[in-house]
Amino acid sequence: MFSAVPRFAKIAAIVVLAAASSVATFDAADARRAGSSGFGSRGTRTFDTPAITRTAPTQAAPIDRSMTQRPQQQTTTQPPLGAPQRPGLFGGFGGSMIGGLIAGGLLGMMLGHGFGGGIGFLGMLLQIGLIVLLISFAMRFFANRQRTQYAAPGSGSSYNMNPMNNAGASPRPSFSIPSIGGAAAAPKARQANDEIGLQQADLDRFEHLLTEIQSAYGKEDYATLRRLTTPEAMSYLAEELGENATSGVRNSVSDVRLLQGDIAEAWREDNAEYATLAMRYSSIDAMVDRTTGKLVDGDDRNPSETTELLTFVRKPGSDWTLSAIQGTELH
């Protein structure tokens, strides 16, 4: 019997190691293209969800790697002021009554009388059960009467839980960028949530940054990445490249071409300007062996399409640099 335990332990250890190995392989090969998370900083909007646009019609993946401190959230929920509170079964008057009866019964039992004289302990439990049922029935009866009194016919208010159906409401605007990547303009494109007034030169710069950063990442060109990204974004890119090197692979990216882009939002805060853009682009993106160049994952011949939300930042007297990348969640 005991000889089977070591064999079982060995089998379990092998299964655990195999699972860990497969997870590590996926992380090295697919994490960057999975679009399940984001990194970097969007200033005070780091943990806000960017606007949904035509280019990225699904919600952006949240930023889960950032040096920006997450704002404190209220953990306790208080009932609305003046809202009636429904007492529990053992709360309020019912709890006091049960407590008094039980205490009195126990005192009587200790004095030799018990619950109902000589019924004994079983009789005590039976009487407690009956008392609980009676009080529960009475509390439900009175609660139903209160609800009937306060719910007058025809006086209820209805609230539209979907703000998109309110009169005069419109979805959060977005702005198409047909000049980037040559995509055709949609008729009557919605206006952008652009608080700083981006110019065509800015849009051209974003397209150039996308191509140059992706290509530099594929070549593991640290100098170019440092020049085109913020120090925080560079730290996460360098971490990914280091993990690839440790796993003996390299993420080859080439032939990057923007297909479609939208401005999700652009705003000012403190001494900086931010712009978040949804970008759908094609590229030849594959994971290859660092030594032999053999394909490990992906397709090193045919381009694939990727949609990401890229946030750029600039300060007075400086050019745009990449500050955050978010994938799009699958629905």
Side-chain angles (χ1 to χ4, degrees), residues 42-171:
R42 300 178 64 239
T44 58
R45 304 188 185 187
T46 297
F47 302 105
D48 295 342
T49 303
I52 293 177
T53 68
R54 181 186 62 156
T55 301
T58 58
Q59 184 174 340
I63 292 180
D64 57 4
R65 291 186 294 166
S66 178
M67 297 179 186
T68 302
Q69 185 176 2
R70 187 180 293 272
Q72 296 292 333
Q73 296 181 351
Q74 188 74 16
T75 56
T76 58
T77 303
Q78 298 292 339
L81 185 62
Q85 297 183 3
R86 182 180 178 182
L89 175 61
F90 297 101
F93 176 75
S96 301
M97 181 182 293
I98 292 177
L101 288 171
I102 292 177
L106 291 176
L107 182 60
M109 185 176 64
M110 292 174 63
L111 296 176
H113 301 289
F115 277 73
I119 297 178
F121 185 72
L122 181 60
M124 177 191 72
L125 295 179
L126 180 60
Q127 291 186 50
I128 291 176
L130 291 174
I131 292 171
V132 171
L133 290 176
L134 288 174
I135 294 178
S136 175
F137 175 79
M139 293 178 65
R140 291 179 182 176
F141 175 76
F142 288 114
N144 290 333
R145 289 193 61 182
Q146 289 179 351
R147 282 196 295 267
T148 304
Q149 292 174 359
Y150 285 109
S155 62
S157 300
S158 60
Y159 295 91
N160 185 2
M161 298 302 293
N162 185 0
M164 299 294 293
N165 295 332
N166 292 336
S170 60

Side-chain angles (χ1 to χ4, degrees), residues 170-185:
S170 60
R172 191 172 184 179
S174 64
F175 181 73
S176 301
I177 315 177
S179 60
I180 297 184

Side-chain angles (χ1 to χ4, degrees), residues 1 31 48 67-68 76 104 163 166 182 221 230 234 249 282 313:
M1 174 180 178
D48 295 342
M67 297 179 186
T68 302
T76 58
N166 292 336
D221 185 350
T230 63
M234 177 61 198
V249 296
S282 65
V313 63

Side-chain angles (χ1 to χ4, degrees), residues 279-300:
M279 292 184 166
R280 180 171 62 87
Y281 60 92
S282 65
S283 64
I284 298 179
D285 190 340
M287 202 71 72
V288 299
D289 186 273
R290 298 184 68 85
T291 305
T292 64
K294 182 180 178 180
L295 179 66
V296 175
D297 185 73
D299 191 338
D300 58 354

